[in-house]
Amino acid sequence: MKRLFWRIFVLSWTAMILVGAGFSLFVAASYPTERMERRLQRFVSALGLQGEEILRVRSREGEDAAHALVEALASDLENDLWLVESGAVRLGSTTPPAGDLVQRLATQATAKGYREQAGAVEQVAVSLRTPEGAPSPWVLVAVNPRPAPLWRTLEREAQRLVLIVVVAGLLSLLLARYLSRPLSRLREASDRIARGDLKVRVTPALAGGSAEVMAVARDFDLMAERIEDLLESQRRLLRDVSHELRSPLARLGVALELARKRAGPEAEGALDRIERDSLRLGELISEILDLSRLETGTNAGEVEVVDLGALIAEVVDDVDFEAKGRGRSVTLTLDPAESLVTEARPELIRRAIENVLRNAARFAPDGTAVECTVRVLDDGGHRYAEVTSRDRGPGVPEAELAEIFRPFYRVETARDRNTGGAGIGLAIVERAVRIHGGVVRAENADGGGLRVIMRLPLGAAARTAVRLAA
Amino acid sequence: MNNANHILLIDDDVELTELLTDYLKAEGFEVSAAHDGVSGLARAIAGECAMIVLDVMLPGMNGLDVLRKLRAQSQTPVLMLTARGDDIDRIVGLEIGADDYLAKPFNARELVARIRAVLRRSEARKESLGASPPEVTSLVVGDLELVPSSLTCRLDGEVVPLTAAEFALLEVLVKAAGKVVSRDELSEKALGRRLSPYDRSLDVHVSNVRKKLARGSHGSDRIKTVRGTGYLYALDAASGGGS
């Protein structure tokens, strides 16, 4: 996003500077030829009128008043002024320069003004008329003694350039923000959707934007709403179906026991089969409901101070007991000195670890052991419990290691259909661990078998994570 | 209580109650059924049954409300049927005085085993209540006092309300104070049945007792979990209040 912003900013800034500089160059180039000339002419005719006014003041109020007027006029016009009568300087704002510059100019004087350029210095002589309008021997000579030096011109140009750059920069900033803001908002929103927050809507945030932006925003919101609806209805369907399946399943269980009582021993095998499968169905249904609860964040159990070590030991005992019946075992390696007391939702953690271990035990070959290892890691002041389960089973193809945490994901090749697949046990693990601020991943162990590694934060990190994820 | 073998089923699933009635009768129980909370509660309070099997999800008044109202008047043992995985339901159920719970769908043999265990426990309690003189049976460890005849638990002289199952569990632990009681032993002595894998009722009871006793203590845990073994009523925590 930053990149788009900066690109728009730099492009528009450069364009504005180029236009501004070009325009001022054009103005500067065309200025002297016409407008400078006209300004000078106006200056000269104003000079004539001013000179006649001085003559009038001199004849009426005397030499001193005229002198004061000349000085005032000179400082006004930033010129040196002299009043010359028939070649003799009568009055002046300063003493005339050495040589006969003033006299020479006076002799050239005309009613319209004689102009002469000496370098950057402008020299003007205007012959004056009497108050009655008759020609007089008086001449007003003006010399510009302080010509605008080159550096001053340059300075003025530089100031103008800085101004252009600053103003153009500000405008470009606004423009870039204006153009990139809707995009960055959209980006943020799509990011949040990607992370699973389907409640995001962008129309309110972009209200008042241009028609095109608003159209995109509306389409975006429509899309988000549809995704949310679809997901929600899918979840609801799954949940409702599971709920509805539970009652017939409960009846089936009781009917099965009744049948067992009444049927002879020859029906035993078939009834056992029915019982196993209805148990499996029951488990699946409760897993679906667990997952739907975890995803909606309801009923995740209470936060308690838990000794993870004791909890894991209990789970290992239970799974070991169950696995022994099928010729497998579960072992636990745990340093009893390590404190694993933390804040957690014990039911969730229990189910997560149970699911991982039962899954491992299910795929372990007969006569092997599932190894459960618990270690405490210190990662720059953050303490983690690392719970690892490792089986000696067929493992999972590398490309599918991340997929096994998806609900109902089946590894096509190795894990055999008779075992019932991973179902959603591992999806529950992933969500339960995430609620505790931890991570879970799977890898194929050296020497065969799947290793599932759960990292659960301990201490303060656990507290904040588990309280936030309500 | 007219009949020590009379079970009242409160469940809105009529077909299920019919099947259960058949099954429980074959196991030697007498069974009656109610299909909503209000009539179920009325039948339960009428006191014609020895035990109640109560579903949490009921139309009208839900199972937890029925249990709460029932406990205000009667100590008839109750086994709750909860939706599997609904931890809140079963924790709340046990907290307000259910004697045990079973997740639905359940195994019918398991249900019968649980019913027998609960009935046995309540029989034993009634007998001990009738047999022993009340003044002898007080059990004191540190600041904790248990009176089995009246199911009273006092902590620093203050009464802590415990359900029958919680009291039985605490009694076993306190009698063996300072020694580890294995989970199997605790389940058999306090709940009257063997512990099966993935059965969490014992832990839920222990957790409830802990919460109730945590009040007034200085953060130290009276009932300690011993990894992989069982539970222990810690003597140092009990005497710690005095020193």
Side-chain angles (χ1 to χ4, degrees):
Chain A
M1 203 55 263
K2 278 272 178 275
R3 276 175 52 206
L4 179 67
F5 173 84
W6 288 115
R7 197 173 293 180
I8 295 176
F9 176 68
V10 169
L11 274 177
S12 87
W13 199 17
T14 319
M16 283 195 203
I17 290 172
L18 285 180
V19 168
F23 184 70
S24 67
L25 263 180
F26 171 76
V27 168
S30 56
Y31 196 69
T33 46
E34 281 180 46
R35 290 189 52 197
M36 197 69 160
E37 184 58 33
R38 246 180 291 148
R39 250 183 69 173
L40 264 171
Q41 269 169 18
R42 268 208 299 279
F43 175 69
V44 170
S45 55
L47 215 55
L49 291 174
Q50 296 283 3
E52 280 156 21
E53 177 63 24
I54 293 167
L55 281 187
R56 219 173 297 136
V57 167
R58 184 173 173 269
S59 64
R60 228 180 284 150
E61 294 168 36
E63 200 79 12
D64 285 346
H67 192 231
L69 193 56
V70 166
E71 276 186 340
L73 192 60
S75 77
D76 259 11
L77 298 175
E78 293 196 353
N79 273 235
D80 288 338
L81 295 177
W82 294 277
L83 211 54
V84 182
E85 188 190 14
S86 317
V89 179
R90 295 292 179 199
L91 261 179
S93 56
T94 58
T95 43
D100 59 349
L101 173 69
V102 175
Q103 286 83 351
R104 187 177 61 75
L105 284 169
T107 56
Q108 308 265 8
T110 63
K112 287 209 158 183
Y114 165 78
R115 282 183 11 226
E116 195 182 287
Q117 198 105 25
V121 181
E122 195 76 35
Q123 299 162 344
V124 182
V126 190
S127 40
L128 306 173
R129 294 164 191 275
T130 59
E132 293 77 36
S136 78
W138 291 88
V139 172
L140 186 64
V141 174
V143 169
N144 185 349
R146 292 177 294 271
L150 191 60
W151 64 265
R152 240 176 102 184
T153 326
L154 282 183
E155 196 183 58
R156 204 174 304 143
E157 288 305 315
Q159 276 171 356
R160 195 174 296 162
L161 201 68
V162 168
L163 196 71
I164 288 175
V165 167
V166 169
V167 170
L170 281 174
L171 285 175
S172 308
L173 205 74
L174 288 176
L175 182 73
R177 282 236 335 240
Y178 176 74
L179 289 179
S180 66
R181 198 189 65 120
L183 256 179
S184 68
R185 283 280 158 82
L186 274 175
R187 170 79 198 275
E188 267 167 39
S190 61
D191 236 33
R192 282 171 59 186
I193 285 189
R195 275 185 274 116
D197 176 7
L198 295 172
K199 297 252 174 285
V200 188
R201 298 292 179 269
V202 289
T203 321
L206 294 178
S210 61
E212 288 87 345
V213 167
M214 288 314 288
V216 172
R218 269 193 300 275
D219 287 352
F220 184 92
D221 283 358
L222 220 61
M223 182 189 75
E225 211 172 295
R226 250 186 93 56
I227 295 177
E228 193 186 7
D229 282 355
L230 279 174
L231 269 182
E232 178 51 34
S233 68
Q234 185 222 14
R235 271 187 207 140
R236 201 168 36 228
L237 181 72
L238 206 58
R239 195 178 57 219
D240 292 351
V241 166
S242 307
H243 261 304
E244 290 309 310
L245 284 177
R246 235 175 352 194
S247 307
L249 209 58
R251 294 197 287 266
L252 186 67
V254 180
L256 180 78
E257 290 306 319
L258 273 172
R260 221 189 260 285
K261 269 189 195 304
R262 289 166 192 173
E266 67 272 17
E268 205 61 28
L271 290 175
D272 282 349
R273 178 86 236 173
I274 294 174
E275 179 171 6
R276 254 203 319 281
D277 277 340
S278 67
L279 260 178
R280 194 171 287 169
L281 266 178
E283 255 172 48
L284 192 60
I285 288 167
S286 60
E287 280 185 344
I288 291 171
L289 291 172
D290 282 347
L291 188 67
S292 118
R293 264 191 287 271
L294 280 184
E295 274 175 348
T296 51
T298 54
N299 207 348
E302 281 179 71
V303 178
E304 284 175 35
V305 176
V306 193
D307 179 3
L308 277 184
L311 191 146
I312 293 168
E314 283 168 25
V315 176
V316 167
D317 265 4
D318 286 348
V319 183
D320 184 49
F321 180 86
E322 184 190 44
K324 283 252 166 66
R326 286 179 291 152
R328 295 144 206 189
S329 62
V330 184
T331 63
L332 173 66
T333 315
L334 165 67
D335 182 355
E338 287 283 14
S339 166
L340 287 162
V341 176
T342 186
E343 274 186 42
R345 297 174 193 272
E347 287 308 313
L348 274 188
I349 292 283
R350 185 189 301 279
R351 208 158 321 147
I353 292 165
E354 185 183 305
N355 284 356
V356 167
L357 291 177
R358 288 181 83 182
N359 190 60
R362 191 154 56 194
F363 294 110
D366 287 349
T368 63
V370 172
E371 297 149 34
C372 176
T373 317
V374 184
R375 289 193 302 160
V376 174
L377 298 179
D378 206 312
D379 181 11
H382 296 290
R383 288 176 71 239
Y384 285 93
E386 191 186 76
V387 186
T388 311
S389 132
R390 191 251 163 103
D391 63 51
R392 301 280 167 179
V396 168
E398 284 294 327
E400 297 177 42
L401 279 173
E403 308 290 332
I404 58 173
F405 296 104
R406 268 176 31 198
F408 295 117
Y409 189 81
R410 268 180 183 282
V411 179
E412 282 307 327
T413 49
R415 305 229 152 184
D416 120 31
R417 223 152 263 276
N418 293 336
T419 56
I424 50 180
L426 290 179
I428 292 173
V429 172
E430 198 267 336
R431 276 145 188 91
V433 170
R434 200 173 52 199
I435 281 176
H436 286 84
V439 284
V440 59
R441 66 191 164 84
E443 62 184 32
N444 285 310
D446 297 332
L450 187 71
R451 182 183 285 140
V452 177
I453 302 149
M454 287 173 275
R455 267 185 163 214
L456 295 163
L458 296 169
R463 191 170 313 132
T464 43
V466 79
R467 290 202 186 283
L468 277 176
Chain B
M1 267 160 249
N2 303 334
N3 192 328
N5 270 334
H6 192 149
I7 312 272
L8 173 63
L9 297 175
I10 308 178
D11 194 321
D12 62 319
D13 187 340
V14 180
E15 286 175 67
L16 180 70
T17 53
E18 281 167 8
L19 283 164
L20 271 178
T21 305
D22 273 5
Y23 186 75
L24 290 175
K25 274 187 174 152
E27 291 286 335
F29 295 100
E30 257 187 67
V31 187
S32 56
H35 303 299
D36 64 86
V38 181
S39 67
L41 181 64
R43 302 268 291 272
I45 289 172
E48 63 201 29
C49 56
M51 181 173 172
I52 298 157
V53 175
L54 175 64
D55 190 16
V56 171
M57 301 235 270
L58 285 175
M61 190 193 291
N62 84 32
L64 292 177
D65 291 336
V66 171
L67 178 61
R68 212 171 275 128
K69 293 222 165 80
L70 177 71
R71 276 290 169 266
Q73 304 189 30
S74 150
Q75 288 298 317
T76 311
V78 171
L79 189 144
M80 301 271 292
L81 297 179
T82 66
R84 195 195 291 264
D86 256 337
D87 307 318
I88 297 298
D89 279 355
R90 77 179 198 221
I91 289 169
V92 171
L94 293 176
E95 235 165 36
I96 59 182
D99 292 75
D100 207 347
Y101 75 91
L102 200 56
K104 222 174 172 184
F106 50 83
N107 180 310
R109 279 167 295 168
E110 177 73 19
L111 177 68
V112 168
R114 296 280 179 107
I115 289 174
R116 292 224 160 95
V118 171
L119 282 176
R120 220 174 17 248
R121 194 146 40 96
S122 89
E123 283 306 311
R125 199 162 60 227
K126 259 182 272 170
E127 271 165 32
S128 75
L129 213 115
S132 49
E135 68 270 23
V136 207
T137 51
S138 181
L139 197 65
V140 182
V141 178
D143 52 358
L144 185 79
E145 185 193 359
L146 297 179
V147 186
S149 56
S150 58
L151 291 189
T152 313
C153 166
R154 285 199 198 86
L155 185 64
D156 261 338
E158 214 180 309
V159 174
V160 181
L162 292 181
T163 66
E166 286 163 7
F167 188 90
L169 193 138
L170 186 60
E171 192 182 351
V172 173
L173 284 174
V174 166
K175 271 182 181 159
K179 283 187 289 248
V180 179
V181 182
S182 79
R183 286 160 42 80
D184 289 313
E185 190 188 342
L186 193 59
S187 175
E188 268 175 54
K189 281 192 177 162
L191 304 182
R193 59 181 163 85
R194 300 268 310 265
L195 200 63
S196 55
Y198 309 117
D199 179 1
R200 290 295 141 219
S201 49
L202 184 70
D203 306 299
V204 176
H205 282 306
V206 169
S207 155
N208 285 341
V209 174
R210 266 188 189 143
K211 260 181 251 163
K212 288 178 179 175
L213 291 186
R215 188 184 57 146
S217 86
H218 13 263
S220 66
D221 205 350
R222 288 159 188 278
I223 302 176
K224 292 203 154 58
T225 307
V226 183
R227 274 179 207 172
T229 320
Y231 294 104
L232 164 107
Y233 188 88
L235 274 175
D236 52 340
S239 56
S243 65

